[in-house]
Amino acid sequence: MELPMDVSKFLASTLKLWIGGQYLSPSSGKYFDVENPATEENIAKAPLADGKDVEKAVEAAEGAFRVWRWESPSARAKAIRDFAQLLRQHADELACLDALDSGNPVEAMKGDVRMAADICEYFAGIVLELKGETIPGGNDFLHFTLREPYGVVGRIIPFNHPILFAGMKIAPPLLAGNTLILKPAEQTPLSALRLAELAKDVFPPGTVNIVTGDGPITGQSVVTHPKIKRLALIGSVETGKIIAQRAAEGGIKDITFELGGKNPMIVFPDADLDRAVEGAAQGMNFHWCQGQSCGSTSRLFLHSKIHDEVLARLVARVGKIRIGDPMDPNTEMGCLVSKEQFEKVTRYIGLGKDQGAEVMTGGGRPEQFKKGYFVAPTIFSKVQPDMSIAREEIFGPVLSVFRWDNEQDVIRQANDVHYGLTAAIWTRDFEKAAQLARSIQAGYIWINSSSRHFLGVPFGGFKQSGVGREESIQELLSYTQIKTVNAYIGKPA
Ligand code: NAD
């Protein structure tokens, strides 16, 4: 498929870091290859930022902070609204870049751009909620709190929704008066670098800085920088643990974590089975990012009375998903992001087979693809709780199906992993669903739904799945620290 002219031009240019409102070459002169996972061809070289580049970005962000923090909240909100508008105007181009380096379908990525814009506008709309409090005290003092920005914030994001995260994660720190260093994933740096250029007239130089590169060099330089007190990671539990340790080298920091999941979907016999079958397919996010989503309901618990029927209908439903070139607007499911990810997912499929689960559909690369990291939607039945595919996050299009009979057992099994991000409960008995929602250890629960996120609704994980809540007022407030003022005002007359 022919690329739009602006995308071709961008890819042919020498990509640079975005620091202090300028494109800069990396200090080390090093670049890394950006691969199109559908063709296995290198399509661009992205700059590898090291400690020196991060230092420059921090200096630029500190300089910008001195001005940006004193802008009125409504002026900051206007800039974010203008930014959202730019996202919408350039949706096709940004979606195209995401499809090229992530393997996600281009139409789904247009949806991601729109979602990023919607979320930016939502946050801009609640900027005046950055309120403090007054605290009752003695007659002669007035006690009040102010919500103040931290200064330079570091945000590190993953590969699965490149433009969605790059776009929407800019809003809360900036609205709260901080300036930002954003590090995209090494697999998917393109849309964030393009975004920087688009936003140059909206944000003052240094307000948003974008450093591309890997975790150990670029990411760690951000994490350990002593002047970045507020950090946020969206990524794996393993990376979260490393960051929690390494960050302390740079001082005491406030860090939020949006990490992985191995999320249960529990279907009762009285559920609306038409919707439950669709909910199980949508819940796996096959169609959006090939199952590479933290919130995917990748453990499906079917009551034995409806197990065989739902499984058969789900296999038929999943068989209709159109897998193809991520750039084709008719494609519903593209390919995995990298060779590494392909190998990880296919290794888990092998483990599932070896450990005795049964492949009902999929199970590897579909025959029509001779290259590209394509994996067919895969459903395993007869999954037992101790199998690897029952316990570990695969982060690919692999669904593990379990049969259940006893409600207490299914709750125990649903909770028997160290993750706790999302869960879905399917029954027409709302009282039962509400009780179950309280028993399930997860931060985000759907009743008779799956996969969807909603504006203003807190998203985040229990247990190893994270710390903090995003996509809601909690995210905005988390980019502020509280200052208390105790003012002597004398005795009342
Ligand atoms: P990852 O943890 O490998 O990488 C995420 C980001 O962290 C990348 O930018 C990477 O370069 C950076 N990084 C890696 N090592 C680092 C280090 N030592 N120091 C600093 N930065 C480092 O994750 P991934 O493979 O890109 O994404 C998949 C994971 O993200 C899955 O576990 C998924 O569940 C999770 N995720 C969570 C959410 C959520 O909202 N909870 C959303 C999307 C993805």
Side-chain angles (χ1 to χ4, degrees):
M1 187 181 161
E2 203 171 314
L3 294 178
M5 182 52 88
D6 37 12
V7 171
S8 305
K9 263 174 62 184
F10 178 70
L11 291 178
S13 65
T14 305
L15 301 182
K16 295 188 172 171
L17 305 167
W18 182 254
I19 295 176
Q22 295 178 57
Y23 273 129
L24 298 183
S25 301
S27 305
S28 64
K30 288 188 184 153
Y31 290 79
F32 59 97
D33 289 328
V34 182
E35 187 184 21
N36 177 341
T39 61
E40 300 182 31
E41 284 162 8
N42 290 335
I43 50 172
K45 285 194 179 297
L48 179 72
D50 64 10
K52 279 190 193 150
D53 302 304
V54 170
E55 189 59 48
K56 281 186 206 160
V58 171
E59 270 173 36
E62 266 198 312
F65 176 67
R66 287 192 277 277
V67 180
W68 181 252
R69 67 167 302 185
W70 299 118
E71 292 286 353
S72 69
S74 55
R76 297 198 295 255
K78 180 177 181 315
I80 293 293
R81 283 199 188 90
D82 291 348
F83 173 62
Q85 188 61 20
L86 274 167
L87 285 171
R88 291 187 201 285
Q89 281 164 6
H90 293 269
D92 289 359
E93 178 191 346
L94 293 166
C96 192
L97 289 170
D98 270 5
L100 282 172
D101 65 6
S102 75
N104 293 344
V106 68
E107 285 305 303
M109 293 303 92
K110 285 181 197 167
D112 273 15
V113 181
R114 285 192 293 273
M115 203 187 303
D118 288 349
I119 292 177
C120 285
E121 284 162 357
Y122 156 73
F123 278 120
I126 59 167
V127 71
L128 293 179
E129 294 303 317
L130 290 164
K131 296 170 190 162
E133 295 173 319
T134 56
I135 297 119
N139 285 336
D140 49 352
F141 268 85
L142 175 63
H143 308 279
F144 61 96
T145 62
L146 302 167
R147 287 195 174 270
E148 296 206 345
Y150 282 92
V152 182
V153 164
R155 293 202 85 158
I156 299 177
I157 56 174
F159 66 75
N160 58 332
H161 294 293
I163 189 64
L164 175 62
F165 289 137
M168 77 186 197
K169 298 306 177 191
I170 284 177
L174 257 60
L175 285 164
N178 303 280
T179 53
L180 179 67
I181 298 179
L182 180 77
K183 195 203 91 61
E186 52 272 46
Q187 301 88 342
T188 54
L190 298 179
S191 56
L193 288 175
R194 177 71 184 120
L195 193 68
E197 192 180 358
L198 295 179
K200 68 179 184 306
D201 298 328
V202 173
F203 301 123
T207 313
V208 175
N209 304 277
I210 297 182
V211 291
T212 49
D214 63 4
I217 297 174
T218 317
Q220 280 203 24
S221 304
V222 174
V223 164
T224 54
H225 199 290
K227 288 188 173 160
I228 303 181
K229 166 139 182 174
R230 175 76 174 91
L231 284 166
L233 167 73
I234 308 178
S236 60
V237 173
E238 293 68 32
T239 302
K241 287 181 184 168
I242 295 171
I243 285 180
Q245 283 183 341
R246 297 297 308 270
E249 292 169 20
I252 300 298
K253 295 179 188 246
D254 181 345
I255 316 179
T256 45
F257 296 97
E258 288 281 359
L259 308 177
K262 186 76 182 176
N263 310 300
M265 168 162 160
I266 302 172
V267 187
F268 283 76
D270 70 340
D272 177 335
L273 296 190
D274 292 341
R275 290 193 64 244
V277 168
E278 191 56 30
Q282 299 289 331
M284 265 308 294
N285 298 302
F286 292 122
H287 58 289
W288 187 16
C289 46
Q290 302 72 244
Q292 298 167 122
S293 179
C294 55
S296 297
T297 39
S298 54
R299 291 184 295 150
L300 177 61
F301 294 91
L302 299 175
H303 190 276
S304 59
K305 282 191 188 150
I306 44 101
H307 175 280
D308 294 355
E309 181 189 345
V310 172
L311 182 57
R313 288 174 64 181
L314 184 59
V315 167
R317 166 67 183 87
V318 160
K320 292 192 185 124
I321 295 175
R322 291 189 299 273
I323 310 176
D325 176 2
M327 295 295 289
D328 181 340
N330 292 314
T331 292
E332 290 179 313
M333 181 171 165
C335 63
L336 301 183
V337 73
S338 63
K339 184 165 188 242
E340 190 187 2
Q341 191 66 9
F342 178 83
E343 285 172 353
K344 177 183 167 200
V345 170
T346 47
R347 184 173 60 78
Y348 271 111
I349 292 174
L351 280 173
K353 290 176 188 166
D354 293 347
Q355 292 173 3
E358 188 176 328
V359 177
M360 303 303 292
T361 183
R365 194 196 314 244
E367 274 180 9
Q368 70 266 36
F369 299 103
K370 300 300 169 224
K371 58 178 171 177
Y373 307 123
F374 293 88
V375 174
T378 299
I379 299 180
F380 275 106
S381 69
K382 301 191 178 138
V383 181
Q384 298 305 316
D386 55 345
M387 293 179 181
S388 308
I389 59 167
R391 312 197 64 78
E392 294 164 31
E393 186 188 43
I394 301 174
F395 214 58
V398 183
L399 174 63
S400 300
V401 180
F402 305 75
R403 181 189 286 269
W404 68 276
D405 284 296
N406 177 291
E407 202 175 306
Q408 290 313 313
D409 284 347
V410 79
I411 295 173
R412 193 184 35 73
Q413 225 180 305
N415 288 335
D416 186 29
V417 288
H418 68 264
Y419 296 104
L421 190 55
T422 72
I425 300 159
W426 288 76
T427 169
R428 286 188 165 99
D429 181 344
F430 183 76
E431 199 174 307
K432 189 201 298 274
Q435 280 167 4
L436 222 72
R438 296 189 63 188
S439 304
I440 298 288
Q441 296 159 0
Y444 198 84
I445 296 187
W446 295 281
I447 294 177
N448 296 323
S449 180
S450 63
S451 177
R452 290 185 61 187
H453 289 227
F454 306 90
L455 282 181
V457 176
F459 184 85
F462 278 27
K463 301 199 276 188
Q464 299 299 295
S465 291
V467 173
R469 294 294 176 271
E470 301 200 342
E471 303 173 23
S472 57
I473 190 164
Q474 285 82 358
E475 182 174 356
L476 179 66
L477 300 182
S478 79
Y479 286 94
T480 63
Q481 48 189 343
I482 288 178
K483 177 182 278 177
T484 305
V485 182
N486 305 285
Y488 177 71
I489 52 171
K491 299 271 182 235

